[in-house]
Amino acid sequence: MSPNGQDIYDTYIGISIPAIIIFIGVELALLWVVIRYRRSKQPAGYVPPQIHGNFRLEVVWTAIPLVVVLAIALYSFNELQKDFQPISNYDFEVVVSGHQFGWNYTYPQAGGFTIHQEGTLAGNVTPFVVPVNTLIRLRLQGTDVIHSWWVPAISGKTDAVPGYDNFTWLKIDRVGMWRGECAELCGVGHSTMQIIVQSMTQSDFDAWVQQQVATQHAARSTSTSAS
Ligand SMILES: [Cu+2]
């Protein structure tokens, strides 16, 4: 888990629980009135007390929902401001580029190689590898249409827009694998744009980087000698 993903989850729970309590309260009050004051329990021709135009009642039932809605707005705007800051104190940056249909991850500060996470319905896409406990800034770009990079455990949906850089970040606290997918309908292969993020210890990550640099270097020299 990354703290921004955790914050978004906590915000969701923090709004959902009061909302469920309010929903149950309103439904119980409604059921109570319907059953307690049903017509068959009243004398024939009974007319209930008329409260139309009751100023105090109308103020109260306008003010309470207004306070609830404003509380949700303030709470969530405050959280989202915190989680979507373009941070500058990161350890390194990865450029995440979305295309139809897959993601490319370029590591400019770690050898400049690129990982191609081509979309597939099978679900076992090439993982995007990061070290644990490292603050990584993600620079999101799009090469054709708008995509949206979303791994729920790690960060909120962040759009990858052609011609415009968007930022998010991650700092994963344990070794593991997390799944996500493109969250912006981007064409016929949208559903294949799956994401796997794999976190490793720093030493495993360093070994992985060495291997990537060697592989991509070998591929480059093979293609130059062939031409
Ligand atoms: Cu997409």
Side-chain angles (χ1 to χ4, degrees):
M1 292 291 272
S2 183
N4 41 357
Q6 184 69 49
D7 279 350
I8 290 168
Y9 177 78
D10 292 344
T11 307
Y12 171 73
I13 295 295
I15 291 171
S16 295
I17 289 175
I20 290 167
I21 292 170
I22 291 170
F23 173 77
I24 292 174
V26 169
E27 293 303 311
L28 286 178
L30 184 64
L31 275 177
W32 180 74
V33 169
V34 166
I35 293 167
R36 172 78 174 71
Y37 296 101
R38 62 192 187 274
R39 183 179 289 258
S40 61
K41 287 286 174 190
Q42 308 302 334
Y46 173 75
V47 178
Q50 299 300 300
I51 55 161
H52 180 78
N54 186 316
F55 181 71
R56 188 181 299 173
L57 197 59
E58 289 187 358
V59 167
V60 168
W61 73 37
T62 306
I64 292 176
L66 187 68
V67 167
V68 171
V69 170
L70 284 178
I72 292 173
L74 287 176
Y75 178 36
S76 50
F77 279 125
N78 184 42
E79 281 297 328
L80 294 179
Q81 281 303 312
K82 207 170 68 187
D83 294 329
F84 286 91
Q85 289 301 327
I87 55 159
S88 54
N89 56 329
Y90 52 92
D91 297 306
F92 69 89
E93 183 179 82
V94 176
V95 179
V96 182
S97 171
H99 63 273
Q100 290 173 314
F101 294 98
W103 304 95
N104 289 343
Y105 301 85
T106 305
Y107 295 66
Q109 286 109 314
F113 58 88
T114 299
I115 296 300
H116 301 279
Q117 188 171 66
E118 262 325 294
T120 164
L121 271 184
N124 52 345
V125 292
T126 309
F128 163 41
V129 179
V130 293
V132 290
N133 299 320
T134 308
L135 184 58
I136 299 166
R137 181 163 86 167
L138 306 181
R139 178 188 291 268
L140 284 115
Q141 301 175 337
T143 57
D144 36 37
V145 299
I146 301 177
H147 303 274
S148 183
W149 197 83
W150 186 39
V151 181
I154 288 172
S155 84
K157 296 170 185 173
T158 311
D159 280 3
V161 183
Y164 175 84
D165 288 359
N166 250 341
F167 295 94
T168 187
W169 53 272
L170 58 82
K171 187 176 184 178
I172 299 179
D173 62 1
R174 67 193 83 142
V175 170
M177 288 237 228
W178 286 271
R179 282 184 176 277
E181 53 198 74
C182 179
E184 183 69 69
L185 182 58
C186 57
V188 70
H190 168 64
S191 58
T192 68
M193 280 185 76
Q194 312 214 20
I195 300 166
I196 294 178
V197 179
Q198 182 175 11
S199 59
M200 296 178 171
T201 61
Q202 185 66 48
S203 56
D204 285 353
F205 178 75
D206 292 341
W208 177 84
V209 166
Q210 290 309 313
Q211 195 192 326
Q212 294 308 316
V213 171
T215 314
Q216 302 216 351
H217 185 73
R220 210 170 298 142
S221 52
T222 316
S223 62
T224 22
S225 59
S227 61

